[in-house]
Amino acid sequence: MPTPELSRIGSRLWIVAGLLASGALAQTYPARPIRVIDGFPAGGSTDIVARIIGPKFQEGQGQPWIVDNRPGAQGIIGGELAAKSPPDGYTLLMFTATFTVHPSIYRNLPFDIAKSFVGVIQTSSITNVLVVHPSVPAHNVKELIALARARPGRLNVAAGGTGPQLTGELFNSMAGIKMTHIPYKGGAPAVAATVGGETDLLFATMPTAIPYIRSGRLRALGVCTATRTSLLPELPTIAEAGLPGYEATNSVGVLAPAGTPQEIVTKLQQEITRILSMRDVQERLLAAGIEPSSMKPEQFNDYIRAEVAKWAKVVKAAGIEQQTW
């Protein structure tokens, strides 16, 4: 039988060994290519961010950052693949705010975005903007709300997916109005429908909307973010333009499977933060209509949980029925 003193010594040795192993793991990682799963098609916002980071990551860490596009089911197919991957830091998932909407829309999802992953870093945000067709007699948010109250259900809102739909439903709920949702198969068709006058308005991503705003084919009323965007600094937020408290942020970031060692998460966060601070990286993101940002793992995890809860309330208020996945 070991004496109590020997037991204490043994425990200390295990602690020291664990600390040494942890340090060694952080120093040797990454030792092989990193697979970055993107659940959306090439050319989308998550894909753009991932591919801008990739070459800089390889320069800094000496290992390839391989983007693996697995589109389908609004990111769920790629999310499931990443969630079931080994938590060793060699498989990551590109995150978009759409993932925080899924739990309210679908039952029996193959993963839980708040529990199956840990946040590595929020890399950027895609500004959503409220735009109307020039024929709509509303030149600001207050006028649009008044118009919607005068014409309940008669204003049509184009939406190319669940995320944009709920952005509009949040507006409806907070303004106490009813506008009719018109679904489209993607953001581009939804924008085209509004430009063509088939629908009255939509909440579009800034990259898709800016050319039409600048040409006068769409009228911008406000951005959905908490602060103004550097892309159109003269445009007010929806909150300051007439609907206080309104915010619908479309964030992009990087997640790792739950159970990934903290030292690996920290190393990834620090390296990606370094890359995002580079001027040429920031310029490339801004040119694509994407605003760089940085959020540490703890903050990112809190943000994801808060967004899941937020959109659950919006779905309930809108009376949207859950579907079985």
Side-chain angles (χ1 to χ4, degrees):
M1 288 286 291
T3 65
E5 182 61 28
L6 286 174
S7 295
R8 283 193 292 272
I9 292 171
S11 297
R12 289 170 187 159
L13 288 173
W14 276 112
I15 292 171
V16 171
L19 290 172
L20 289 172
S22 174
L25 180 62
Q27 288 175 6
T28 59
Y29 174 87
R32 63 178 190 270
I34 292 176
R35 178 191 191 192
V36 184
I37 295 175
D38 182 6
F40 299 89
S45 56
T46 45
D47 182 71
I48 291 170
V49 173
R51 292 183 189 278
I52 288 175
I53 291 173
K56 301 291 187 180
F57 187 92
Q58 184 165 352
E59 287 175 13
Q61 296 297 313
Q63 293 294 340
W65 167 284
I66 301 170
V67 181
D68 183 3
N69 295 94
R70 295 297 183 103
Q74 298 188 61
I76 295 175
I77 291 173
E80 180 180 11
L81 183 62
K84 293 180 178 179
S85 298
D88 55 10
Y90 290 98
T91 300
L92 306 175
L93 175 69
M94 291 304 296
F95 167 88
T96 176
T98 301
F99 284 116
T100 64
V101 172
H102 291 153
S104 303
I105 300 295
Y106 300 110
R107 301 186 192 92
N108 305 320
L109 284 170
F111 61 90
D112 183 325
I113 194 63
K115 296 179 180 178
S116 302
F117 296 95
V118 292
V120 173
I121 186 172
Q122 181 198 62
T123 59
S124 47
S125 61
I126 315 298
T127 301
N128 291 326
V129 58
L130 169 57
V131 292
V132 300
H133 187 269
S135 65
V136 175
H139 291 78
N140 56 54
V141 171
K142 288 183 179 179
E143 289 182 1
L144 179 66
I145 293 173
L147 183 65
R149 286 176 178 157
R151 304 178 183 178
R154 289 169 56 193
L155 288 180
N156 294 326
V157 186
T162 304
Q165 176 189 356
L166 292 186
T167 300
E169 294 294 356
L170 178 64
F171 189 92
N172 277 340
S173 176
M174 292 184 65
I177 59 175
K178 177 61 179 176
M179 298 188 292
T180 300
H181 164 241
I182 308 296
Y184 288 87
K185 291 184 178 181
V191 170
T194 307
V195 169
E198 295 175 20
T199 53
D200 299 306
L201 65 141
L202 83 157
F203 294 83
T205 61
M206 190 64 80
T208 59
I210 273 186
Y212 300 104
I213 294 171
R214 289 178 174 161
S215 68
R217 299 179 71 186
L218 290 175
R219 181 189 304 130
L221 303 187
V223 292
C224 302
T225 43
T227 58
R228 295 192 183 199
T229 172
S230 61
L231 300 170
L232 286 176
E234 71 282 2
L235 189 64
T237 68
I238 290 174
E240 67 179 305
L243 195 57
Y246 182 89
E247 181 183 0
T249 304
N250 186 6
S251 295
V252 173
V254 179
L255 304 181
T260 300
Q262 183 58 48
E263 56 271 19
I264 286 179
V265 172
T266 300
K267 187 165 186 179
L268 283 167
Q269 182 262 326
Q270 291 174 344
E271 175 63 9
I272 296 171
T273 298
R274 183 187 70 82
I275 292 168
L276 293 172
S277 70
M278 297 178 179
R279 178 171 293 183
D280 62 324
V281 169
Q282 294 181 359
E283 289 174 349
R284 288 182 65 192
L285 289 171
L286 288 170
I290 301 169
E291 299 203 58
S293 62
S294 181
M295 189 180 288
K296 291 184 178 180
E298 300 80 11
Q299 297 171 303
F300 197 19
N301 289 327
D302 289 343
Y303 164 81
I304 290 170
R305 287 190 289 268
E307 286 292 292
V308 169
K310 170 183 174 178
W311 293 116
K313 293 177 182 178
V314 174
V315 168
K316 184 176 181 180
I320 300 172
E321 293 186 10
Q322 262 197 332
Q323 306 170 38
T324 300
W325 172 253

